[in-house]
Amino acid sequence: MNAIQPNRAHPTEPVAYRLTVDAYHRMIEAGIFAEDDHVELIEGELRAMPPINAGHAGKNKRLNQLFSRRAQDLAIVAVQDPLTLPEHSEPEPDLMLLRPRDDFYEGTNPTPADTLLVVEIADTSLRYDRNTKLPLYARHRVPETWLIDLKRRRIELYRDPGPDGYRQVLLPDREQFIAPGLLPEMRIQVAELWA
């Protein structure tokens, strides 16, 4: 199988090539990207991600601590790790809850079958997360995605993935308790996200 595949929109137009996850991994192994380059492979295209500001980073740390305390042995908490979506995408969600595995995914990156929850934190990236990444997760059957909107101080829960996106969207208020659908014992009051 070719690592880079042409995408011909019309026979007379220039050919656009899409990277596969395999080609992207070979680029990483070859040292093409610096350690602090923040890129994602989305639908065969390399996307430069904006730098993370203090509010975004702080929310990520808060969620990491909250999830780690509640998950214990129920899930592995992954922070800004790659999620392989065969064959042309490998985003790096802000947080993931993964099915426990003895090797802690040292041999391979997790795939949608390994995910219990994906979390994206958005301030400047809200439109990109909602319009590009969430539909991508749904098409690949990531069971649930939470989108945390820092500017509006709200959380959106996306469940029931399908080819056209998530079929269920919940907008809980601050007093409600929420939990991942696959981990109902991990109850969190929405207000805890903003404390």
Side-chain angles (χ1 to χ4, degrees), residues 2-194:
N2 292 338
I4 301 176
Q5 299 174 346
N7 181 12
R8 291 186 189 274
H10 190 273
T12 60
E13 292 180 13
V15 176
Y17 288 90
R18 289 184 354 160
L19 288 174
T20 62
V21 171
D22 182 59
Y24 177 56
H25 287 180
R26 288 200 308 268
M27 292 171 75
I28 292 168
E29 290 165 8
I32 291 173
F33 305 110
E35 193 170 304
D36 56 353
D37 286 343
H38 195 83
V39 296
E40 294 180 317
L41 180 66
I42 304 293
E43 302 283 19
E45 297 177 352
L46 291 176
R47 305 273 180 108
M49 301 305 294
I52 294 173
N53 64 32
H56 185 282
K59 187 63 65 199
N60 212 14
K61 290 175 185 75
R62 178 182 302 278
L63 286 172
N64 181 17
Q65 185 178 58
L66 235 119
F67 284 179
S68 295
R69 286 181 179 163
R70 297 225 171 58
Q72 296 180 15
D73 294 331
L74 299 172
I76 295 172
V77 180
V79 180
Q80 295 175 337
D81 287 348
L83 172 63
T84 300
L85 306 175
E87 127 182 30
H88 295 284
S89 297
E90 194 166 87
E92 295 182 5
D94 289 301
L95 282 145
M96 291 185 285
L97 293 178
L98 303 173
R99 295 182 190 284
R101 241 174 56 178
D102 290 340
D103 71 346
F104 286 82
Y105 298 91
E106 288 179 7
T108 60
N109 290 329
T111 66
D114 302 308
T115 62
L116 302 167
L117 175 68
V118 166
V119 178
E120 291 290 356
I121 300 169
D123 45 8
T124 60
S125 65
L126 183 64
R127 189 161 63 208
Y128 173 69
D129 289 337
R130 188 180 284 135
N131 298 335
T132 301
K133 292 179 88 174
L134 266 66
L136 180 67
Y137 295 146
R139 281 195 306 277
H140 285 277
R141 299 281 194 200
V142 171
E144 184 170 356
T145 302
W146 292 0
L147 180 60
I148 297 178
D149 180 347
L150 293 179
K151 288 185 179 173
R152 291 190 179 96
R153 294 177 58 92
R154 75 175 190 191
I155 183 168
E156 303 169 10
L157 282 60
Y158 293 82
R159 295 177 172 160
D160 193 15
D164 297 323
Y166 286 97
R167 293 180 278 258
Q168 183 181 29
V169 180
L170 304 171
L171 301 170
D173 62 42
R174 291 176 58 89
E175 304 311 312
Q176 286 183 276
F177 284 84
I178 57 175
L182 295 174
L183 292 169
E185 53 275 89
M186 277 190 61
R187 286 172 39 95
I188 298 169
Q189 188 173 18
V190 173
E192 291 180 79
L193 304 177
W194 309 109

